Amino acid sequence: GAGVSQSPSNKVTEKGKDVELRCDPISGHTALYWYRQRLGQGLEFLIYFQGNSAPDKSGLPSDRFSAERTGESVSTLTIQRTQQEDSAVYLCASSSQHFSYGYTFGSGTRLTVV
Amino acid sequence: GESVGLHLPTLSVQEGDNSIINCAYSNSASDYFIWYKQESGKGPQFIIDIRSNMDKRQGQRVTVLLNKTVKHLSLQIAATQPGDSAVYFCAEKRGNNRLAFGKGNQVVVIP
């Protein structure tokens, strides 16, 4: 596609439920990144994919968070047993192998845990 | 943790004036830096980048300055317009092509 697409754009869930967030990167981009952005804050790194492997998962805050990627395509970020502190915007970005112009970001998924 | 920070949380600027946003970074080995602009409800958008072998780069109405001696980065916006109102982030490339972002600086343009 023309850009990075994320769905849903907004998600309200009850505390304790599981959620899945989806990211469709730019076609041909080998690298994919997930970031979390709390209200009024900067971007917190979660996980990085190169192809369908994840060489850097160091930012995942707990074992309730996991992510997978199919080939060099779609990625899903799953949060199990959501907590109120998980409320944030989850941003996905992709980049080419040569990292030209850094990342291209999607518009994010705004997650609200009530 | 990651340490790329901005000095001023909010910058109010009169329309038509120039804006300067500052950023300090921590990793002297970083070789690539990017400024992003984030408008409300959108993802960050690339503005301009600079490699560590340069100290200045100009784009359309924007200039990035890099001072490696003091690990300082700045973004200058000329003739600020209402559409420039946004949060601006500097980012520093770490290993695995991973970017470390600062907390962001809100720019408010006063018409």
Side-chain angles (χ1 to χ4, degrees), chain A residues 33 35 37 40-43 45 48 55-56 58 91 96-108 110, chain B residues 2 32 34 36 38 41-46 49 51 57 87 89 93 95-104:
Chain A
Y33 311 80
Y35 281 78
Q37 185 176 30
Q41 299 295 312
L43 280 70
F45 170 79
Y48 154 66
D56 190 348
S58 62
L91 288 160
S96 68
Q97 180 180 359
H98 302 292
F99 202 67
S100 301
Y101 305 109
Y103 305 165
T104 301
F105 281 91
S107 294
R110 181 175 297 279
Chain B
E2 299 174 341
Y32 182 61
I34 304 175
Y36 283 90
Q38 187 176 28
K42 298 182 180 179
Q45 184 178 25
F46 173 94
D49 59 357
R51 298 200 177 273
R57 188 150 191 248
V87 177
F89 294 96
K93 185 167 80 75
N96 286 333
N97 283 344
R98 174 181 144 187
L99 292 176
F101 290 83
K103 283 187 167 50

Side-chain angles (χ1 to χ4, degrees), chain B residues 74-86:
Chain B
S74 68
L75 177 71
Q76 300 176 1
I77 305 173
T80 313
Q81 302 171 359
D84 296 327
S85 292

Side-chain angles (χ1 to χ4, degrees), chain B residues 19-21 35 47-48 62-64 73-77 88:
Chain B
S19 305
I20 299 176
I21 307 165
W35 280 99
I47 302 174
I48 191 167
V62 293
T63 301
V64 55
L73 196 66
S74 68
L75 177 71
Q76 300 176 1
I77 305 173
Y88 291 81

